[in-house]
Amino acid sequence: MKTIQFREAICEAMSEEMRRDESVYLMGEEVAEYNGAYKASKGMLDEFGAKRVIDTPIAELGFAGIAIGSTMTGNRPIVEYMTFNFSLVGIDQIINNAAKIRQMSGGQFKCPIVFRGPTASAGQLAATHSQAFESWFANTPGLKVIVPSNPYDAKGLLKSAIRDDDPVIFMESEQMYGDKGEVPEGEYTIPIGVAEIKREGTDVTIVSFGKIIKEAYKAADELAKEGISCEIIDLRTVRPMDRQAILKSVKKTNRLVVLEEAWPFGNVATEITYLVQSEAFDYLDAPVVKINTADTPAPYSPVLLEEWLPNSTDVVKAVKKVMYK
C-alpha cells in the first residue's frame, strides 16, 4: 500500500485507464495547461498530449455535447466540471442525450462517459457554488451516480466508471482533494453499486456518503464513550443503491439515521427512508431520522454556513433520539 492524496487517486485512475485504452480522453476547463483546477490531472498533458487532454472554453453545454457525441464513434470521454454547479449549463446534454441514447437508439449506441468534478459546499463559496445535485442526477434512469469519500474508493470506483458502458456521474469535493489515504500499489477496481460498512456496530445504523460522512465518524467516536455502538455504512454509489446492505444493517441494529449534505426535500435520504419503512418496518424500534442542510440556499456568512451544514453534534442528537436517550 502507499499513501496518496485524493487528487492523486483521481489522477492515477484516469492515467491508468488512458494507458490501458486509447479511446479514453479527458476534456474540461483548465485540465491541460494548468494541470486541472484542483491539480487532479497534473502531468497528464505531458504524458498523453493535447489530443487526449483537452482544454475547453467556458462552455459546459458545448463540450458536454461534443463528448457525448464522441461516444457514438467509439470514444470513452471523461468530462471534468470545475464544479457540478456548472453542470447545470450542460444538464440538457446529460439528461436528454447521455442518459437516453441507449434506449432511444434501441440499443444500437451506448454512451460510455464519465462526468466528474466536485459537488456540494466547500466553505464560503455562496449559494450558487455550494449545491449538491446527487439526487437530481440519481432521479434519472440511465445515469449512474458515484460519490466516494476517500482516496481508495475514489480510485477504484473511477476506474470502474471509466470502463462502464453507461454514463456515470462521479462527484468529488474541493475539501477532499488534499485528504490522504492508503491505496494499493497495483491494479484494482471497486464494483459500482456496492456499499461498504466502514465501522461495525450494534445499536444504530448511520448511512452516509461523500465528505459529510466524516461527521458520522466524529459522532460515532463521541457516542462510543457513552456506550452507544454505531454502524456506519458508506453508500459510495448513490445509483444503483446497495439496498441490501442498508436493510441487512437495519435488521441488525433496529435503528437508522441518514446523514446527507443536501436540501431536505426529496433527496437520497428520503429514498432510503422509504426503502426501510417499506421493506424493514417491523425491524424498526424507532422512526428513521434524516439529517440534511437547512432548507435554504447556502449562506455566504461563515456563522450562518456553520448552522446551515449538518455536523457531528446533529448526528449525536439524532442517534440519541432514535435510542430514546
Side-chain angles (χ1 to χ4, degrees), residues 179-194:
D179 288 359
K180 292 183 178 180
E182 289 189 338
V183 302
E185 291 280 359
E187 167 77 11
Y188 77 100
T189 59
I190 296 172
I192 296 171
V194 179

Side-chain angles (χ1 to χ4, degrees), residues 25-271:
Y25 70 90
L26 171 66
M27 73 187 312
E29 295 157 10
E30 299 185 347
V31 299
E33 296 288 346
Y34 192 66
N35 285 313
Y38 312 106
K39 301 298 180 275
S41 52
K42 187 176 181 179
M44 292 180 65
L45 175 62
D46 292 339
E47 178 175 355
F48 300 105
K51 286 188 177 181
R52 296 183 68 197
V53 182
I54 305 166
D55 275 332
T56 68
I58 302 173
E60 287 82 3
L61 179 66
F63 63 76
I66 290 169
I68 292 166
S70 78
T71 68
M72 303 174 76
T73 58
N75 293 290
R76 308 184 79 89
I78 306 164
V79 173
E80 175 177 310
Y81 290 120
M82 200 174 292
T83 157
F84 263 97
N85 297 283
F86 302 156
S87 75
L88 299 189
V89 182
I91 201 167
D92 175 61
Q93 289 288 348
I94 299 171
I95 303 298
N96 282 328
N97 289 327
K100 296 176 174 63
I101 282 173
R102 184 188 285 271
Q103 186 201 46
M104 293 184 72
S105 69
Q108 295 179 82
F109 293 102
K110 56 190 179 183
C111 188
I113 187 170
V114 175
F115 298 96
R116 51 158 294 269
T119 183
S121 68
Q124 289 179 263
L125 299 180
T128 59
H129 287 190
S130 302
Q131 302 167 106
F133 295 117
E134 291 90 324
S135 61
W136 285 33
F137 290 113
N139 184 251
T140 305
L143 297 180
K144 296 176 181 178
V145 181
I146 298 171
V147 194
S149 66
N150 59 76
Y152 174 84
D153 290 347
K155 182 177 179 180
L157 284 164
L158 182 53
K159 288 170 68 70
S160 293
I162 294 167
R163 297 180 191 187
D164 200 274
D165 284 338
D166 290 313
V168 179
I169 307 294
F170 193 93
M171 308 180 101
E172 303 153 15
S173 168
E174 288 107 316
Q175 292 181 323
M176 287 199 298
Y177 286 121
D179 288 359
K180 292 183 178 180
E182 289 189 338
V183 302
E185 291 280 359
E187 167 77 11
Y188 77 100
T189 59
I190 296 172
I192 296 171
V194 179
E196 183 175 47
I197 297 174
K198 297 295 189 181
R199 179 172 179 148
E200 297 273 356
T202 56
D203 294 327
V204 58
T205 298
I206 303 173
V207 177
S208 190
F209 57 89
K211 80 171 191 293
I212 202 68
I213 199 172
K214 295 176 184 179
E215 300 301 315
Y217 297 143
K218 293 177 190 174
D221 288 340
E222 288 300 311
L223 289 161
K225 297 174 185 176
E226 301 180 36
I228 298 174
S229 173
C230 300
E231 180 148 295
I232 300 176
I233 294 178
D234 187 343
L235 280 184
R236 304 195 295 191
T237 304
V238 170
R239 180 168 185 153
M241 185 182 293
D242 191 347
R243 287 169 158 76
Q244 291 308 311
I246 299 168
L247 292 171
K248 183 178 179 181
S249 179
V250 170
K251 288 176 181 179
K252 177 176 73 171
T253 67
N254 310 117
R255 296 173 178 87
L256 174 63
V257 171
V258 188
L259 172 63
E260 177 188 9
E261 184 183 341
W263 294 312
F265 189 91
N267 53 30
V268 176
T270 305
E271 178 66 20

